[in-house]
Amino acid sequence: MRAMRISVELVPRSEAALLADAATVRDALPQASALNIPDLLRFPLRSWEACALTHGVMPASIPHIRAIDIPPGEDLPMAEAILAAGLTEILVIKGDPPHDMSRRTWPNSSEDIIRRCKRRHPGLRVYAAFDPYRQGFRDELDAVARKRDAGADGFFTQPLFDLRLLEICAEMLRGQCVFWGIAPVLGERSRAYWETTNRVIFPADFAATLEWNRDFARRALATIDELGGNAYLMPVRVNLDAYLRGLLPG
C-alpha cells in the first residue's frame, strides 16, 4: 500500500534557526519525510539555499519558486543550484508583488515557469498551487487544467479547515498527486488574517486553540490517508514541538 507523504513547511529565518526547526520536525514528527520552504523576500536565505541545507536532515526538501521573480531567458536562474543540491522537487507559485517596489519582477504566470522548467529539466518534479478560496471552483479547475497542460506533476493546496471542503476538493482533483494543506490558526487575530487575506471560511465548530487545531490535523491526516493523498503541515506562529509531538501514533 502506498504510504502517505507528510511534509512540514518551515520559514527560513536564518541558517541556524532553520536547521534547529528541521531537527525539531524530525524528532517530534518522525512520520514526516519532507520539508517545503517558501521563498520569503524579507529574509536573505532563498528557498533553494534553505533546502540545500535541510536536504541532509530530511529525505526530501521542496523549495517554493516565485514565478514573478524569474527574468526572461531559457533556464531558471536557480536551476543549477537546485540540481547541484540534489533536490528533485519544486513548487512553483505566481508570488505576491514585493513590498519594496524597487525590486524587479516580471509578468510571468506560474504556467509560464512550469513550462520553462519542464522543458529544460524534465526529470525535476514540479508542483503547482490549488486554492479553493480565491475564485469560483470552475475557474480554479480551469487553472488546474492549464497548469497540468504546462507540465505540473501535482499540486499543493491552500490550507483547509473543513473536512467537507477537503472531500469536495478531492473529487475535483481526483487522479492528481496532491499535498493537502493543514495549518494551525491560534488566536482571533490570526483567524481574522486568514479570513481577510486568504478568504478562508472556517467551520462553525472552529476554535482558535491548539487543542482544536491538533484534533483537526489528526482527523484531516486520517481522511487524506484514506483518499490516497499526501499532506503538508504549515505550523506558522506556533511552537513546533507543541503542535507536532504526538500528533500521530507511533
Side-chain angles (χ1 to χ4, degrees):
M1 183 177 178
R2 187 203 67 90
M4 173 176 62
R5 295 181 69 192
I6 299 176
S7 181
V8 177
E9 183 167 315
L10 294 181
V11 174
R13 293 181 177 85
S14 69
E15 292 187 10
L18 178 66
L19 289 173
D21 285 347
T24 298
V25 171
R26 182 190 57 202
D27 296 340
L29 189 68
Q31 297 88 346
S33 60
L35 300 172
N36 59 285
I37 301 181
D39 195 39
L40 301 174
L41 302 182
R42 66 183 182 274
F43 299 120
L45 195 61
R46 302 275 56 85
S47 62
W48 53 93
E49 296 168 341
C51 285
L53 291 171
T54 60
H55 192 50
V57 181
M58 296 287 281
S61 293
I62 306 169
H64 299 197
I65 305 298
R66 290 163 39 92
I68 65 172
D69 291 341
I70 308 299
E74 188 59 25
D75 206 355
L76 277 62
M78 67 288 295
E80 184 176 341
I82 287 171
L83 297 174
L87 306 176
T88 60
E89 302 169 282
I90 65 172
L91 167 61
V92 174
I93 62 170
K94 183 176 180 180
D96 295 324
H99 294 297
D100 178 5
M101 297 309 293
S102 67
R103 186 182 180 94
R104 182 71 191 274
T105 60
W106 288 267
N108 302 313
S109 67
S110 56
E111 299 97 289
D112 294 332
I113 301 307
I114 292 168
R115 187 175 294 107
R116 195 194 305 182
C117 181
K118 294 299 285 189
R119 184 170 61 243
R120 288 298 302 267
H121 307 287
L124 198 61
R125 191 164 183 82
V126 181
Y127 300 101
F130 172 85
D131 187 347
Y133 303 113
R134 65 181 157 194
Q135 57 188 346
F137 282 161
R138 181 69 265 164
D139 290 336
E140 192 63 18
L141 277 178
D142 288 344
V144 165
R146 292 194 301 271
K147 292 168 183 176
R148 286 288 296 171
D149 288 344
D153 297 291
F155 296 87
F156 273 65
T157 77
Q158 179 78 298
L160 302 174
F161 304 91
D162 191 321
L163 296 183
R164 295 164 299 180
L165 179 58
L166 192 157
E167 290 170 350
I168 290 170
C169 292
E171 285 294 321
M172 296 165 62
L173 294 174
R174 182 181 293 274
Q176 309 297 334
C177 173
V178 182
F179 281 82
W180 299 96
I182 305 168
V185 175
L186 304 182
E188 291 307 313
R189 285 185 62 186
S190 182
R191 175 178 181 164
Y193 170 84
W194 281 88
E195 289 175 329
T196 303
T197 303
N198 296 319
R199 305 178 66 184
V200 166
I201 298 173
F202 289 95
D205 69 342
F206 174 78
T209 64
L210 182 62
E211 293 73 21
W212 189 95
N213 280 277
R214 276 172 56 89
D215 178 67
F216 176 76
R218 291 188 189 99
R219 292 184 287 123
L221 287 168
T223 298
I224 292 164
D225 195 22
E226 291 174 3
L227 292 168
N230 305 305
Y232 79 95
L233 301 165
M234 195 173 81
V236 178
R237 301 181 188 280
V238 64
N239 181 282
L240 273 177
D241 191 80
Y243 178 65
L244 296 176
R245 190 168 296 279
L247 195 60
L248 290 174

